[in-house]
Amino acid sequence: MGKHSGFQTKRVIILGSTGSIGAQTVEVIEHLNTLTHQSESSIRFEIVGLAAGSNHRQLIDQADKLAVRDLALANAPGRFDQSGLNFRLGHDAPRRLIEEVPCDLVVGAIVGIAGLDSVLRAIELGIDVALANKETLVAGGGLVIDAACKSGASLFPVDSEHAGVWQCFSAMTPMSYAPPMPAPESIERVILTASGGAFGTQSRDQIMHAKLAEALNHPNWSMGTKVTIDSATLMNKALELIEAHWLFGLNADQLGAVIHPQSIVHALVECADSSVIAQLGAPDMKVPIQHALTHPMRSRACADRLDLAKLGILDFHEVDPDRFPAINLAMNAIRAQGSAGAMLNAANERAVEHFIAGQLPFGQIDHCVASVMDELSIEPIHTLADVYAADARARACVDQCCPNKAGETR
Ligand code: MG
């Protein structure tokens, strides 16, 4: 961080800047810089690099608006106007952006396994990462945590539940480092909340042939397509349990999920002495994004405040394992280690692609993932190539197990 005229400058690269989390990160940074301008905060954020998947127009608009020159575009169109901008193109473009542009913090918000390579590189280089991409840890958790231990880079969780656990843990420890780790024997269980997604308590039969637009109709959160579909199958919670395993070093027996339709409590930590610490907040991703950016400080929020009296009631109920098999798949993957997380993640990404394309009924997504986990053997993971090999095997298996079912969808 550089120091100029009374405030510090934090240089930020946003990976996945045109997605839902990326765009909200830009909004939060603009808000935080207004506070600096009004002398309410001593940190000024400078966005020094942006990476996007294929939306080159939106990326160029963002670059113009934010005066950013260094860009990465993974899937570039044939020809487009790059004048005045320093573009890196191709699937390794986000990684090259990290290697070539000095920064203090990387926001990892690329969706899916595509986000792993660049986040891992940032961590290897000792750069702190505000991590929104859960697939990075689900598929490559062992590699990422080893690299962070070697380089000393910190991982600041942006996923709201993990930001919640992080804040609960900080109530249990003298906090200086992220994520703060209380003594293992002081934790009984960490519980992540799940809204239950678009279909709430409807039965499997009722949702078997649910349409894409219905699955995208999330009651609480405004999120990207993939994560909203994952919320409806609870696969999002399954991936988050694996993410929590890696982030906080918890085993499967120390992890759990509970349905909480209002999405106000994001995580709970049950301590050894039966005291439970919970983190609450309005369901707005700008809250955990801001927390990860400003940690260990707190600044005035650009998100709505929580009014518990107005809400009145918070509900909690158990996850039905038959209705939502994804949770047990995650627990099995945590116990199995090796390539299990990478396979689970890849099978789900592929099955969701089939659903979006109208080639797999909604109610078959998690069953398809379960059959891939049954079918394939779990291999050890030593390198990024091992992760990609497991990922490719699982995707191919989905394509075999779930041949074109377009005729069956309504
Ligand atoms: Mg989440």
Side-chain angles (χ1 to χ4, degrees), residues 25-335:
T25 302
V26 171
E27 244 183 273
V28 172
I29 285 180
E30 288 179 319
H31 158 76
L32 290 171
N33 283 343
T34 314
L35 298 185
T36 316
H37 192 67
Q38 296 164 354
S39 306
E40 272 192 55
S41 164
S42 57
I43 300 175
R44 188 183 151 276
F45 292 86
E46 184 189 356
I47 301 174
V48 294
L50 297 168
S54 50
N55 195 338
H56 70 283
R57 286 205 180 84
Q58 198 186 339
L59 181 63
I60 291 170
D61 285 351
Q62 277 184 332
D64 282 347
K65 186 170 167 237
L66 303 166
V68 179
R69 284 192 64 248
D70 283 296
L71 305 176
L73 187 66
N75 309 302
R79 285 169 71 90
F80 67 103
D81 183 10
Q82 302 178 21
S83 49
L85 297 168
N86 189 5
F87 260 96
R88 290 142 192 90
L89 303 176
H91 70 278
D92 62 344
R95 176 163 53 77
R96 285 188 281 132
L97 184 71
I98 300 291
E99 288 170 345
E100 292 164 14
V101 180
C103 75
D104 304 298
L105 181 74
V106 167
V107 177
I110 292 173
V111 178
I113 187 75
L116 171 59
D117 166 51
S118 46
V119 163
L120 182 59
R121 191 67 190 129
I123 290 171
E124 284 170 351
L125 293 172
I127 305 167
D128 292 343
V129 174
L131 188 65
N133 166 289
K134 63 197 71 181
E135 294 88 345
T136 290
L137 286 176
V138 172
L143 300 178
V144 171
I145 299 300
D146 281 354
C149 290
K150 275 193 198 124
S151 73
S154 291
L155 276 172
F156 306 126
V158 170
D159 209 346
S160 57
E161 294 78 1
H162 306 79
V165 175
W166 178 18
Q167 291 171 78
C168 291
F169 277 1
S170 63
M172 301 170 71
T173 51
M175 181 173 156
S176 60
Y177 189 76
M181 285 307 300
E185 64 275 15
S186 63
I187 306 163
E188 182 67 23
R189 223 155 70 100
V190 168
I191 300 158
L192 309 183
T193 61
S195 67
F199 303 120
T201 53
Q202 292 180 56
S203 73
R204 283 199 78 86
D205 286 347
Q206 285 173 304
I207 60 167
M208 178 54 75
H209 296 286
K211 295 197 177 77
L212 178 60
E214 293 167 338
L216 291 181
N217 185 24
H218 197 284
N220 304 336
W221 295 98
S222 154
M223 305 181 290
T225 302
K226 159 89 171 28
V227 62
T228 306
I229 294 169
D230 286 348
S231 289
T233 55
L234 248 61
M235 190 57 81
N236 184 51
K237 211 51 49 187
L239 300 178
E240 287 178 355
L241 289 167
I242 304 176
E243 187 186 4
H245 154 70
W246 287 113
L247 267 177
F248 305 113
L250 301 163
N251 62 42
D253 299 330
Q254 291 173 298
L255 285 164
V258 66
I259 304 266
H260 168 43
Q262 292 91 354
S263 299
I264 298 298
V265 177
H266 304 304
L268 306 105
V269 176
E270 190 186 334
C271 306
D273 60 5
S274 284
S275 182
V276 177
I277 303 173
Q279 190 267 331
L280 288 74
D284 184 333
M285 283 309 295
K286 291 200 282 292
V287 179
I289 292 170
Q290 175 163 334
H291 178 254
L293 288 171
T294 61
H295 166 82
M297 322 270 255
R298 300 266 187 183
S299 299
R300 185 155 55 86
C302 61
D304 288 343
R305 296 206 166 265
L306 182 60
D307 186 340
L308 281 177
K310 205 168 165 186
L311 265 161
I313 292 171
L314 299 178
D315 297 292
F316 300 89
H317 47 94
E318 264 187 287
V319 179
D320 174 356
D322 297 323
R323 168 79 164 74
F324 295 114
I327 299 297
N328 281 336
L329 291 175
M331 295 304 190
N332 292 341
I334 292 171
R335 293 192 180 97

Side-chain angles (χ1 to χ4, degrees), residues 340-354:
M343 286 156 47
L344 180 76
N345 174 64
N348 178 59
E349 274 193 49
R350 190 69 182 136
V352 169
E353 283 169 19
H354 279 293

